[in-house]
Amino acid sequence: MGSIKRSRVLFLTLTSLFACVVVSEAQHQPGYCSFYEECGRNPSVNGSLIKPIIPCVNYTPARKLQGAHYQRLKKVCPMLDRGENNTMACCSMNQLNSLENSLTLSKAILVRCPACADNFAHLHCVTTCSPNQSQYLNITRTINITVLGQVKEAVVGYQCYMSRKFGDSSFKSCQNVRIPATGGFAIATMCGRYGATLCNTQRWYDFQGDSSNGLAPLDIDFRLIPEGAPVPPGIVAYAGKALRCNETTDTGGKACSCQDCVESCPVVPPPALPPGPFLIWGVDGVLVVCLLSFCLLALSFLGFLLMLHFKRGNAATSKEAESMGKDKNSNEVHEVVDPKDVTCTDRNSLATQEFLGFLFQSWGTLMARYPFIVLLASLVVVSAFAVGLMHIELTTDPVQLWSAPNSRARREKDFHDKYFDPFFRTNQLILTAPGRPGHSYDSLLFGKQNFSGIISKDLIQQLLELQSRIQAIEFWSDELNRTVSLKDICFAPLNPNNPSLTDCAVNSLPQYFQNSLDNLNAKVNMTELGVTKEVDWRDHFIYCVNSPLSFKDITDLGLSCMADYGGPVFPFLAVGGYENEEYTTAEALIMTFSLNNYPREHEKFKLVEQWEQMFLDIVQEYQRDPATNFTFAYMAERSLEDEINRTTAEDIPIFMISYAVIFVYIAVALGEYSSFKRILVDSKFLVGLGGILVVGCSVLSAMGFYAWIGIPSSLVILQVVPFLVLAVGADNIFIFVLEYQRDERRKGESREEQIGRVLGNVAPSMLLCSLSESVCFFLGALSSMPAVKSFALYAALAVLMDFVLQMTAFVALLSLDARRQDAGRCELACCVTVSTPRPSNHGQGFLLPAMKRYYAPVLLHPVTRIVVMVVFLFMFCASVFLMFHVTVGLDQELAMPKDSYMLDYFKYLYKYFEVGVPTYFVTTRGFNFTTVEGMDAVCSSVGCNPFSLTQKIQYATEYPDKSYLAIPASSWVDDFIDWLNPGSKCCRLYTLGPNAGQFCPASESAFLCGKRCVSAPQNGVLRPTVEQFNKYLPDFLGNRPDLLCPKGGLGAYDKAVVRNEQGEIIASRFMAYHTPLTTSKEFTAALKKARELAANITLSMRQVPGTSPDFEVFPYTVTYVFYEQYLSIVPEGLFNISLCLLPTFVVCCILLGMDLRSGLLNLLTIVMITVDTVGVMTLWGIDYNAVSLINLVTAVGISVEFVSHLTRSFALSTLPTHVERAKEATANMGSAVFSGVAMTNLPGIVVLAFAKAQLIQIFFFRLNLVITLLGMVHGLIFLPVLLSFFGPDVNKAVLLQQQRKAQEMKSESNVYTNMSFED
């Protein structure tokens, strides 16, 4: 009996073992399933974004599919279709439905590339439905689930074996698929923590098989098996055919586009290399040309000297000697001029001088006789003009100041702002924690990671506290009559009409935790590959910075990466200062508040500015708090304008001190100090004050006049024009007053007649300079730059008014002062009389005798003259070389004072920001987007033109160092087409209820929305009809993106498309990103390249049938309007300066009686001053820009003062030789120029060195100092030498006149003595 029992037990055991072997063998047999049908939800998966339905273990043969079941498989997994009666599968209808829902999510972003979408679905169809399922899978984990009272074994984990070739090919086909809304790669959202850069085949499949990602219902361990590698018994690595991205699919899908598939790209030649430097013999070509030019000029000059020497050596006859002013006995003789020898030019010159002299003499006498009436009339005229100041408009907006209303950038900005909202206002903090130690974190999921000191929980909490404090800003608004908070003015892309505080776009690291301390503090134990560890905020952070578009991380925390306002936070907007996308080692945290940008006249503009001021107050208070652990920089949108206005106000005292110093100098320098007792009598304090008032009144008159006629002023005008007019006015004042002091009143001549006669002598020279400068500036007003144009207009009228007031009011003031001085009354106490008589011989002061006895003889010594010519020729040639190397542009930091917080912000911005400014490629009206040709010319997905708008931008981003574009353009056309694709759930129609036939969002049940908006195309290339395009575009633009439909256009595109009432698209834009730009040169180059690209796109899009010939694509970003000027500022500057130089030549020639030689020498010296100024700018680090151009135009005007007086004095001199005439002009007029121009400007300029604004220090102190010093050395050193060599001959008409007067005097027995220079 026992043996029977033992035999039965043995039989049962063997039977069981046999059964196990049979089951084991059945697990991996062709034609067998490993699981079948759905068992219910996976209890181990929590917080999944879709229902985690898992299958039941079922080792049975595959089923033959027929009818609806077969049709469903054919639709979901067409690669498994073998015909209706020949198709076997291991999936039920329910499994197919679940698989379709799951694949729908991936198709939403992969459908752009049919081959990729097909390959992605291929493997999941194989693992779910393949008739040979058991050969490819090995179940590793199961659990028991009770379903309707029955316990079933359900699969929660399995291994999937596939060939590496199939896996790699599938991954490669999807690797470059783009997400148009962000410009990033779709693979970045499907590779978890690795993002697009570190993603590979294994990591891609690991993410797909991770149940913690919120999408996979169970764990799948994908095994990539190289060819020939061993596998477990019975297992076969799936080795199906994976399509390349440039191949068509079996269902008719076309090859992927170039943007999504490198293999589809046509051969595009790389951008042409920029032209190389200009070289001659391997050396800088400009340097060689300048050196050769110097040598040629120097040799020519030496040749001229040799020729002159031989000519003089041969001129030994008495007649020739007499022409030099000496007879044979070396006695002075006077050349007898034959009237026939007088040229027409000489007669014209004499006639001009006599006419002007008589005119001004009569005018001066009249003004001096009636000083009070003249002063009263002058006051009335000035007051009439100055009343206009009540209507003055001061331009502070940089756009209006530096960009012409009709300039291309301004027109493009106006177009953009007309159809699209202005660029949102940015308020930003960049925070660091220097010296804070980092730490290492051994993550369960991501391995060992290094964290910088600033990426720490306590600092993130502090940042969140600061963010919450800023978000809580509230204030009372009288305009709205209620309390205003951030939600009233913030940029809320996903809820723009009625935003709440959480709808406001705030980008920061805490947004990865939805600004929740609970989420930041969350911890959970998690098991991975048998290892259990705690996961916390660090794991979530690592995942989110690598996959910012994820709605759920892969940790058991189950947190979303999306910000609380619903949008993604890209890592470059949250952290900075990292390398190679190692975000955990970032050195900075970035927090950005975006506000709506309202026009200045809008009622909410003041609210935005008030909020920004409170933002600055909070941040500055936080910075002063000693408990703050951050070192940071910050800015508000209003900061630039605030800081410029602040420094302008703070530097006003500096300008006042500068003017005061100039006034004191003029008052002291104009006085005669022959006797200590007569100091208060002979001083010219009131005359100096009157001269300053004349300058001030001329400026006020000019400003008032232009205010009357509506031409706005600017801070540049207020700072530069008074200096300019003071330089011109002071020079004229010195020339006039010094000439009067040196003059002896003739017998029988009244005081008023003497003043008139003196004015007749010097006023033509004053007229020459003032008229040259005024015409110069009026011509400068032809500039297209508003700041240069308004400056030129104001300067021209101010100089003209200054001359008029000098000829009227100042003459009257000098007349009154002469009366006082003749009466011996003290200047400041008119009732006090000094009895000490005025000396009969007027002193010449210190400067005139010094220049006459020492300076002029040394300067005009033969050796000195040669040295001066050679040195100045070298300076000129060197400056020409340096001029070609001057830096063009104006870095925005220079507009800030040295103590501005904005300087720290710029430093942090350039150091820590990893992406540049966004730029829009804007389309104008005239292009039909609704046609197939129109869509193909714009889009970059399957079936699109390989040289479409977005594709050309994509090509440009492949060469960021040349194109300055880093991220391709987002494309609403691409996303709209993808949104319409019936393979996704984005565009459906209600089939039930009151909204039947209307758009149904993806969040609605499939029961209510059973119809797709469009049908699947037969050729695989979806293009809506014109009717479908116009019908569904508004629905797309208003559809909020979510997990079920990430292609919704709200937020990304709702403001990127503008349609008129007829539904025609009249404007649209496509956003790309520049590379980080830091200097003016880079900003200007980026603008130039973007315009070249846009012009190329425009030409190709105009070839599309139906496109208007005036259709245009142009690039736009907020900086272009400021940097456009640098594209043309060099030719613009040459044009403006040339226009200014022209009148200096013409007026000089005319007022000197068509003396062409004097005009040319005058012009040459001014040109040399200007060129040398630019050369010194290069050496001293002064960039060439609109501010510099204003100063260079000013330099021309000031140079006229240094040059023209001396040129005229030389031309009218009657001394016999060029050298003597040059000595006389240098001594007499040079001393006045030195006192009146150089010494008037220099003290005031030196004071500007103490200004806080770098703009003033560099472009007003440095540049004006250079202009004044160069003008002085050219006018007082180079010009006298130049005239001594090449100046005009003595005016024989003047000599003839003197000869006749001498004869008349001899006939009347009067003795005439012609005082020579030495006397």
Side-chain angles (χ1 to χ4, degrees), residues 38 40-46 48-55 98-99 102 124 128 141 143 155-158 207-220:
E38 294 180 340
R41 294 179 63 94
N42 186 346
S44 63
V45 176
N46 298 315
S48 179
L49 300 172
I50 60 174
K51 291 180 181 180
I53 305 300
I54 52 178
S98 296
L99 178 61
S102 178
H124 292 284
T128 305
R141 284 194 301 126
I143 59 173
V155 181
V156 292
Y158 63 82
F207 178 80
Q208 295 176 39
D210 190 345
S211 62
S212 64
N213 64 17
L215 299 172
L218 46 74
D219 290 318
I220 308 174

Side-chain angles (χ1 to χ4, degrees), residues 738-754:
L738 291 179
E739 183 72 14
Y740 175 74
Q741 290 174 346
R742 296 169 184 171
D743 185 72
E744 293 287 344
R745 189 175 302 167
R746 296 176 180 176
K747 185 177 180 180
E749 186 178 49
S750 67
R751 180 190 311 106
E752 290 76 14
E753 289 173 340
Q754 182 191 9

Side-chain angles (χ1 to χ4, degrees), residues 663-673 684 734 738 741 1235:
F663 162 66
V664 170
Y665 165 75
I666 292 175
V668 172
L670 284 178
E672 296 177 283
Y673 306 105
K684 289 290 183 288
F734 268 87
L738 291 179
Q741 290 174 346
S1235 302

Side-chain angles (χ1 to χ4, degrees), residues 488-509:
D488 295 300
I489 53 177
C490 73
F491 175 64
L494 296 179
N495 189 13
N497 296 324
N498 187 27
S500 63
L501 194 60
T502 55
D503 290 319
C504 295
V506 178
N507 288 297
S508 64
L509 192 150

Side-chain angles (χ1 to χ4, degrees), residues 186-245:
I187 205 78
T189 68
M190 306 173 70
C191 212
R193 62 186 182 272
Y194 298 107
T197 304
L198 301 178
C199 193
N200 58 33
T201 305
Q202 187 63 63
R203 290 168 176 175
W204 187 44
Y205 282 116
D206 286 346
F207 178 80
Q208 295 176 39
D210 190 345
S211 62
S212 64
N213 64 17
L215 299 172
L218 46 74
D219 290 318
I220 308 174
D221 180 12
F222 289 101
R223 300 293 181 92
L224 299 173
I225 308 301
E227 186 177 355
V231 293
I235 292 295
V236 176
Y238 180 72
K241 180 187 177 184
L243 298 171
R244 295 196 303 271
C245 57

